[in-house]
Amino acid sequence: MGGRGGKKKRAKWNRKRKAEERERKAGAQQRWEAKGRDRRGTEYKSMIQSNARMEAYYAIQGLHSVRLDGDGAKFVPCTTDAEKEAERRKWITCLKTILPASFRLGTDLPDA
């Protein structure tokens, strides 16, 4: 009547087993990424990164009628339509830039 009472024996930790486990997890992650899926199994959907109404609104407001001078110290008016178009393209490129996703929890603030 001896024994361990049916408990499972844990696998002993060693470097070889740890390396094999790491390779297995990396292989699974690569398979998910190859399928175009995230960790939950949902497919990635690319977003449309343009909005014609917003672009028209800011064009009417005159957002693209000024640019930074060569030194980057102050704004100067655009003199030609080509300069305005170049400024508009720079603006759209900046808006389409993907920002890193990060956040910080402030624990040093008193409770409100």
Side-chain angles (χ1 to χ4, degrees), residues 51-84:
N51 185 335
R53 289 182 180 175
M54 183 186 74
E55 292 174 24
Y57 173 79
Y58 284 108
I60 290 169
Q61 297 298 318
L63 180 70
H64 315 298
S65 60
V66 293
R67 61 178 174 79
L68 281 174
D69 65 351
D71 300 332
K74 62 180 183 175
F75 287 99
V76 294
C78 293
T79 54
T80 65
D81 287 337
E83 285 181 348
K84 288 181 184 179

Side-chain angles (χ1 to χ4, degrees), residues 7-110:
K7 291 183 180 179
K8 290 185 177 182
K9 186 177 178 183
R10 290 184 65 167
K12 186 176 179 183
W13 182 91
N14 63 33
R15 291 175 200 233
K16 182 180 177 184
R17 190 180 69 76
K18 194 68 171 175
E20 288 171 355
E21 183 178 325
R22 192 177 316 117
E23 288 174 11
R24 182 182 55 81
K25 286 181 179 179
Q29 180 67 28
Q30 289 173 350
R31 285 191 299 275
W32 275 109
E33 290 172 357
K35 292 180 181 177
R37 299 175 183 270
D38 63 8
R39 290 184 179 188
R40 294 178 305 239
T42 57
E43 290 188 25
Y44 293 126
K45 294 183 177 136
S46 59
M47 294 178 59
I48 299 170
Q49 294 183 336
S50 65
N51 185 335
R53 289 182 180 175
M54 183 186 74
E55 292 174 24
Y57 173 79
Y58 284 108
I60 290 169
Q61 297 298 318
L63 180 70
H64 315 298
S65 60
V66 293
R67 61 178 174 79
L68 281 174
D69 65 351
D71 300 332
K74 62 180 183 175
F75 287 99
V76 294
C78 293
T79 54
T80 65
D81 287 337
E83 285 181 348
K84 288 181 184 179
E85 180 63 20
E87 192 63 29
R88 185 185 74 82
R89 288 190 186 275
K90 281 186 203 175
W91 178 70
I92 291 173
T93 302
C94 289
L95 287 179
K96 289 182 179 181
T97 303
I98 298 173
L99 299 174
S102 65
F103 60 92
R104 180 178 296 165
L105 299 175
T107 58
D108 59 336
L109 300 174

